[in-house]
Amino acid sequence: MENIRIQWHTCLMAEAIQLIVYTSFEGKRDTMHMEFPFGEDYISNLPQSIIETILTKLPLRDAVRTSILSSKWRYKWATLTQLEFDDKCVYGTHDRTLAESNLVKFVSRFLFLHDGPIHRFALSTAYLQSSPDVDQWLLFLSRKDVKELILELGEGEWFRAPSCLFSFRKLVRLDLVRCELDPPSSFKGFPFLKHLNLQQVLIAPDVVESLISSCPLLESLTLSYFDSLELNIRAPNLKYLILEGEFKDICLENTPMLVAISVAMYMTDDIAEHFGQISSCNFDKFLGGAPALQRLIGHIYFTKYMSIGNTLGKTQMTYQHLKFIELYQVSFEDMKEIMVVLRLILNAPNLQELQISGSSNSSSAMEAPDFDFWEKECPCDCTLEQLKTVKMTDMSGVPHEMGFIEFLLGCSPALETMSITPSVYVTDGRLNLLIELLRFRRASAEAEIIFVQDQV
Amino acid sequence: MSEPDVIKPEMMRSYIWLQTADGSIQQVEQEVAIFCPLICHEIHAGMGSSKTYPISLPARVNPVTLSLILDYCRFHQVPGRSNKERKSFDEKFIRMDTNRLCELTSAADSLQLKPLVDLTSRALARMIEGKTPEEIRETFHIPDDLTEEEKLEPLKNITDDPRIRLLNRLYARKRKELKEKEKLKNVEVEAEHVDDRSVDELLSFINGENGDSKEVKTAKNKKKNRRRKDQQKNAPVCTISNSSSSLNNSTKASNGISLVGHDDRVKDHCLPNINELLKLQDSEDDRFGLEDEFDDCDIGDGIDPEIKEQIDREVEDFARRLNSDWPERVQELLSLGQERRPSLYTVNGNGCSARRPSSTGLEKHEK
């Protein structure tokens, strides 16, 4: 009776690893058993915690393979708590359905033979798409107090998250790629969730908002590739925010702990139209709720977005902790965008590093309409006490760019490096750029101006 | 053994004393030693400041690995090093035999020095990744002690289903066989739970008789004889049996030793026999062939005095034995029972051959 059981169990396990060890066994039957004197085994008697540390550093396939090493090693892998499944777990094959079914078999059998708690389950595959097997695995995992769940399934039909996903009570990290989320009405949020990463997720906007606000411990939020999202973010513990997609409106309502923001906004026609109709100030809406901000990274169209709306009459918030600003695709032809940049810089007394990449079209902006701004209205008496590093890239040499650089050079007594990289489209104007640069006054005697040529 | 490289009087370093499991004591600079969390705790607890009170290191740390660990700590505790420097030191540091590396991992783990555990684990993982089992076994000297079938070389036919199905069938068949065997045994066991006679009834029955411990013998002939002898004194029991007619279960009683007892424990032992004999009354079981005798049950009252004495003796004897290991006793009783059967075995109409020892006596032993 016992024999049958052992054989059965071994059979299951062997099925699981059959695919894995197949080629290694082929033609290499070890008929010579290694005879080592007792006690010479270096590794098998190490404490299980060390063995698990070692196995965790192996790809899952190799970790399972260790079950064949000796009788002691048979189930050392079965108590691993960090499981990372990907397409490397099964042998690559051109036949897609075969690869898919192999992966399903591997994961199912692995879970079946696994013993003990599971803290992390990550599945990242291009073969497997929406499948009832995935639903079953999620049901199994929902009973195991999983803390980290990462699901990235293949292109094609997006995976529809089953309701058991919302019963992962102990979840601390959730990463979902390409799926549909539709929480049941009884869903009250993940009480311990700290990291939420949704990429290409189909979800109703108000559901996103309520999901965010119902996770009280949320510290890091990443939303990528969302369409036309209007978002009010209420997350009292949120520290890191990464947004990428087409956003109509972002309002940070309640984010007092926010430390780092990275935003990339894609523009479509109707969003641009929408922007034309906004009256409230985007800058205030967006950054008004983030007084503790330390790092700000704004990708394409960010400054444009921020420039919309009127700020007149409102007191401007100072960002005492803002140390690092990185802005991409700032159009120095748009006065409003320049004002946004200036506002940011002037309200960040502790700013240390500034990186700006321009996006001007050099041919059209040779005559700048408001160039006297720099002489007349620009507050020259301010000093950027802590600014040490400035990096300007994609510079076309347009007047406002030069004005800005001049302004920076004149106001930064602590400046150490100013690096300027001309745009690749500028071929003739480089010399002029350089000549102008030479002329500028520098407030800092230590400042190095580095003109980066032909950056590879 | 690590002597401090140079003793600079002006630097006034303080030293810590460490003792490894083999008894050797060495002196180490404090800032190096406190890089290990375990040593740090011990220092805060006041240990290690002098040679007489060295910090005892865990058994897994031997002098060789200790010196390696201290080299590691000495390098990394200096704050000014760049990441690149540290990385290249680490790369060179882990170049050693596999055996030494495993010992080092174990020692670092016992000292809770996590960065070193990570470093060595990564090195060991690199030795395992991508290698065939034979290569791994050779690297670590792992004995190859799995049987051929356990290794289960992949079969030529990759279709696994037939094999699984076959095993399933075999498994199911075995399970069925086992279940049937269980059923045979369970019959008795089930019967235990069904006894709902009132305690009073049993008491009266018990006190009304000097019951003998009895054994059920499969040899029906002998039983028949015994029963006939003791029929007389089983009269009172018959009344009880009538009221407990509920105890009818199908019977396939195998061997069992039982006592009629007042105490629960004894009861459990007894009852199967009672019940089974009860059942026997109603059943068609020819093994015991009791029906005849039961029908003729003489509902008399008297107990033969000399038999009574004999019974008493038996009871006390049995009570003594009851306290020792039951299964062994079973064997013994079975073998003993061969001779003693005539007196032990009392069967009445309902099979409640309660040779009931003086209840107090048994109870004393039971408690």
Side-chain angles (χ1 to χ4, degrees):
Chain A
M1 183 62 168
E2 257 322 304
N3 270 343
I4 300 263
R5 269 208 212 105
I6 291 176
Q7 281 173 23
W8 164 243
H9 200 177
T10 316
C11 183
L12 269 179
M13 173 188 75
E15 298 311 318
I17 61 175
Q18 188 178 357
L19 294 160
I20 302 160
V21 300
Y22 187 79
T23 52
S24 70
F25 274 164
E26 213 167 36
K28 258 205 220 176
R29 277 277 293 114
D30 181 24
T31 49
M32 181 185 76
H33 284 226
M34 296 288 205
E35 290 300 328
F36 296 113
F38 180 77
E40 237 199 73
D41 184 349
Y42 304 146
I43 191 173
S44 307
N45 296 318
L46 289 176
Q48 179 68 9
S49 60
I50 298 182
I51 301 278
E52 281 188 18
T53 310
I54 297 174
L55 290 179
T56 313
K57 298 187 195 301
L58 288 171
L60 206 58
R61 188 172 85 186
D62 290 87
V64 177
R65 278 168 71 143
T66 60
S67 58
I68 212 87
L69 288 175
S70 83
S71 55
K72 284 191 193 161
W73 278 86
R74 206 124 151 230
Y75 296 113
K76 282 193 196 271
W77 64 272
T79 48
L80 287 176
T81 56
Q82 322 258 359
L83 310 180
E84 314 237 350
F85 295 94
D86 53 31
D87 290 332
K88 296 198 289 271
C89 292
V90 293
Y91 280 108
T93 160
H94 295 298
D95 183 353
R96 199 209 164 100
T97 32
L98 183 62
E100 193 177 328
S101 81
N102 283 347
L103 184 60
V104 167
K105 269 196 267 181
F106 180 77
V107 178
S108 299
R109 294 212 178 111
F110 186 102
L111 290 178
F112 194 35
L113 290 168
H114 184 271
D115 180 22
I118 296 177
H119 289 155
R120 179 182 161 94
F121 181 89
L123 174 59
S124 175
T125 165
Y127 295 135
L128 187 59
Q129 288 157 36
S130 175
S131 144
D133 297 293
V134 184
D135 293 351
Q136 283 198 351
W137 299 336
L138 284 177
L139 181 61
F140 173 82
L141 293 167
S142 66
R143 300 169 182 153
K144 288 272 186 175
D145 287 343
V146 174
K147 296 210 183 94
E148 298 187 7
L149 178 65
I150 291 143
L151 271 184
E152 181 180 343
L153 300 179
E155 309 263 359
E157 194 190 326
W158 285 13
F159 168 67
R160 187 131 201 279
S163 57
C164 58
L165 178 66
F166 302 100
S167 61
F168 278 64
R169 305 298 298 157
K170 302 268 169 71
L171 213 53
V172 170
R173 176 186 294 270
L174 178 62
D175 281 16
L176 294 174
V177 179
R178 285 184 284 268
C179 76
E180 264 184 60
L181 274 187
D182 191 12
S185 49
S186 59
F187 179 57
K188 300 274 183 309
F190 295 112
F192 301 102
L193 194 67
K194 284 198 182 154
H195 307 269
L196 179 62
N197 181 348
L198 301 177
Q199 185 181 324
Q200 287 178 277
V201 172
L202 213 60
I203 183 173
D206 51 330
V207 175
V208 178
E209 277 186 27
S210 70
L211 177 61
I212 295 170
S213 47
S214 65
C215 299
L217 296 183
L218 194 63
E219 282 180 13
S220 145
L221 173 64
T222 306
L223 299 176
S224 312
Y225 303 119
F226 277 73
D227 294 336
S228 305
L229 205 51
E230 283 183 32
L231 209 53
N232 279 350
I233 298 183
R234 268 161 266 132
N237 280 309
L238 192 65
K239 292 202 182 109
Y240 308 102
L241 176 63
I242 301 176
L243 298 173
E244 184 178 347
E246 293 166 12
F247 293 99
K248 272 195 193 150
D249 203 10
I250 311 174
C251 180
L252 299 180
E253 252 183 57
N254 178 16
T255 52
M257 311 275 287
L258 201 51
V259 154
I261 298 180
S262 167
V263 181
M265 321 200 47
Y266 300 144
M267 197 70 79
T268 60
D269 284 337
D270 55 75
I271 291 189
E273 205 182 297
H274 178 80
F275 279 172
Q277 293 156 11
I278 297 178
S279 57
S280 57
C281 177
N282 277 0
F283 194 108
D284 289 320
K285 263 201 291 182
F286 188 73
L287 287 181
L293 195 61
Q294 290 177 20
R295 281 176 86 93
L296 175 63
I297 302 174
H299 294 272
I300 184 169
Y301 289 128
F302 176 66
T303 34
K304 174 132 184 79
Y305 173 79
M306 295 281 269
S307 67
I308 290 168
N310 307 316
T311 70
L312 295 173
K314 280 201 176 153
T315 51
Q316 297 187 354
M317 178 184 270
T318 314
Y319 300 97
Q320 293 285 350
H321 307 273
L322 188 52
K323 294 200 179 73
F324 180 89
I325 297 180
E326 201 175 314
L327 297 171
Y328 290 88
Q329 309 273 45
V330 179
S331 165
F332 278 93
E333 290 148 3
D334 184 352
M335 210 50 222
K336 284 182 149 190
E337 291 194 33
I338 300 174
M339 292 305 297
V340 166
V341 178
L342 275 176
R343 179 178 171 184
L344 273 173
I345 297 175
L346 295 174
N347 285 311
N350 293 312
L351 185 64
Q352 287 179 8
E353 189 171 328
L354 178 64
Q355 283 186 33
I356 298 188
S357 91
S359 78
S360 312
N361 197 339
S362 66
S363 56
S364 68
M366 265 329 184
E367 53 315 306
D370 303 314
F371 194 69
D372 51 356
F373 159 81
W374 294 106
E375 283 135 19
K376 292 182 192 157
E377 293 175 36
C378 185
C380 304
D381 54 346
C382 68
T383 41
L384 306 169
E385 310 260 344
Q386 309 277 339
L387 187 60
K388 291 202 182 75
T389 317
V390 176
K391 202 164 149 188
M392 309 286 292
T393 52
D394 280 312
M395 291 284 102
S396 321
V398 296
H400 280 306
E401 283 177 7
M402 303 317 293
F404 183 69
I405 297 174
E406 189 179 1
F407 163 74
L408 282 178
L409 283 172
C411 298
S412 329
L415 190 64
E416 288 170 11
T417 321
M418 158 89 72
S419 121
I420 301 190
T421 313
S423 154
V424 291
Y425 302 116
V426 171
T427 40
D428 322 333
R430 288 191 187 188
L431 195 55
N432 291 337
L433 235 164
L434 259 179
I435 293 172
E436 278 206 62
L437 269 175
L438 274 175
R439 241 193 35 216
F440 294 150
R441 278 201 201 91
R442 306 176 197 184
S444 159
E446 332 251 293
E448 274 184 20
I449 299 191
I450 301 170
F451 194 80
V452 182
Q453 286 234 73
D454 302 322
Q455 191 163 42
V456 189
Chain B
M1 170 55 175
S2 62
E3 283 291 320
D5 297 337
V6 177
I7 302 177
K8 296 196 176 88
E10 64 270 23
M11 291 181 68
M12 286 298 283
R13 285 182 188 155
S14 57
Y15 290 89
I16 295 294
W17 298 87
L18 302 174
Q19 182 177 35
T20 48
D22 62 347
S24 61
I25 302 180
Q26 30 172 321
Q27 207 184 10
V28 181
E29 302 95 312
Q30 180 164 351
E31 67 253 15
V32 171
I34 57 174
F35 203 66
C36 296
L38 188 80
I39 298 181
C40 196
H41 288 149
E42 293 286 311
I43 292 176
H44 286 308
M47 297 288 291
S49 47
S50 72
K51 195 162 181 178
T52 40
Y53 296 105
I55 297 175
S56 303
L57 297 176
R60 287 189 268 156
V61 185
N62 60 42
V64 174
T65 52
L66 180 62
S67 79
L68 283 171
I69 291 175
L70 292 174
D71 287 343
Y72 180 87
C73 293
R74 194 167 291 122
F75 184 87
H76 279 280
Q77 57 94 13
V78 177
R81 304 214 195 263
S82 73
N83 282 344
K84 206 168 159 189
E85 283 179 359
R86 291 182 195 268
K87 262 198 93 173
S88 79
F89 172 85
D90 288 346
E91 294 289 312
K92 290 200 204 98
F93 181 74
I94 51 168
R95 283 187 212 154
M96 58 179 84
D97 313 331
T98 316
N99 193 5
R100 185 65 51 77
L101 196 57
C102 292
E103 283 180 8
L104 183 60
T105 316
S106 176
D109 178 65
S110 65
L111 290 176
Q112 298 163 13
L113 188 54
K114 198 166 181 314
L116 185 55
V117 175
D118 272 345
L119 175 64
T120 46
S121 303
R122 249 181 290 131
L124 291 169
R126 280 200 293 268
M127 291 180 192
I128 297 176
E129 186 172 348
K131 302 281 194 327
T132 66
E134 291 86 5
E135 287 168 357
I136 300 174
R137 280 195 212 107
E138 185 163 351
T139 313
F140 294 101
H141 287 203
I142 300 176
D144 184 5
D145 58 357
L146 291 171
T147 65
E148 288 316 312
E149 57 192 81
E150 283 171 327
K151 279 203 218 153
L152 270 180
E153 301 282 39
L155 303 177
K156 299 288 188 293
N157 59 329
I158 308 180
T159 56
D160 35 323
D161 288 339
R163 200 157 37 131
I164 294 180
R165 266 185 265 126
L166 172 67
L167 278 174
N168 261 336
R169 257 183 269 134
L170 289 170
Y171 193 51
R173 200 189 305 159
K174 269 282 173 174
R175 221 187 334 187
K176 199 163 126 199
E177 284 173 34
L178 211 81
K179 241 188 227 160
E180 270 154 34
K181 277 196 213 140
E182 293 287 345
K183 237 191 280 178
L184 298 180
K185 288 191 209 145
N186 279 347
V187 164
E188 254 184 46
V189 177
E190 284 163 21
E192 285 181 28
H193 305 301
V194 191
D195 185 46
D196 53 2
R197 279 177 298 180
S198 75
V199 178
D200 291 341
E201 290 171 352
L202 283 171
L203 255 176
S204 56
F205 151 64
I206 284 161
N207 290 332
E209 277 211 343
N210 297 328
D212 253 333
S213 68
K214 59 191 160 110
E215 301 159 26
V216 175
K217 282 298 148 192
T218 50
K220 51 182 173 182
N221 293 330
K222 297 190 175 168
K223 275 189 181 166
K224 275 191 190 166
N225 295 333
R226 269 182 276 133
R227 278 176 223 138
R228 283 210 184 87
K229 270 196 203 166
D230 296 332
Q231 252 179 13
Q232 292 174 317
K233 60 181 165 137
N234 292 334
V237 178
C238 291
T239 53
I240 297 172
S241 75
N242 291 334
S243 58
S244 51
S245 53
S246 57
L247 296 170
N248 291 330
N249 298 315
S250 63
T251 67
K252 275 237 180 110
S254 40
N255 292 340
I257 302 295
S258 48
L259 284 179
V260 173
H262 198 32
D263 186 88
D264 278 347
R265 210 167 82 194
V266 184
K267 200 153 114 184
D268 284 347
H269 296 310
C270 295
L271 289 174
N273 199 31
I274 299 169
N275 298 333
E276 122 211 354
L277 290 172
L278 273 173
K279 297 170 236 150
L280 292 173
Q281 176 185 12
D282 296 330
S283 73
E284 303 286 314
D285 192 356
D286 281 334
R287 263 168 72 188
F288 297 97
L290 293 171
E291 286 97 343
D292 313 49
E293 287 93 23
F294 292 158
D295 288 343
D296 300 335
C297 175
D298 182 16
I299 310 195
D301 207 80
I303 298 170
D304 193 350
E306 36 173 293
I307 297 178
K308 189 175 176 179
E309 279 169 23
Q310 203 175 13
I311 289 170
D312 279 343
R313 252 181 293 133
E314 309 296 352
V315 164
E316 265 135 36
D317 208 11
F318 188 90
R320 249 180 288 121
R321 247 181 257 110
L322 194 67
N323 291 330
S324 42
D325 194 12
W326 188 237
E328 283 153 41
R329 287 300 130 211
V330 168
Q331 290 302 318
E332 200 186 333
L333 286 166
L334 277 173
S335 53
L336 286 171
Q338 293 293 342
E339 308 114 16
R340 295 222 257 107
R341 216 174 299 128
S343 55
L344 280 179
Y345 199 86
T346 62
V347 161
N348 49 18
N350 58 5
C352 288
S353 57
R355 159 202 143 150
R356 181 50 194 168
S358 56
S359 51
T360 50
L362 251 187
E363 277 173 78
K364 261 193 255 155
H365 287 285
E366 293 306 331
K367 281 159 195 158

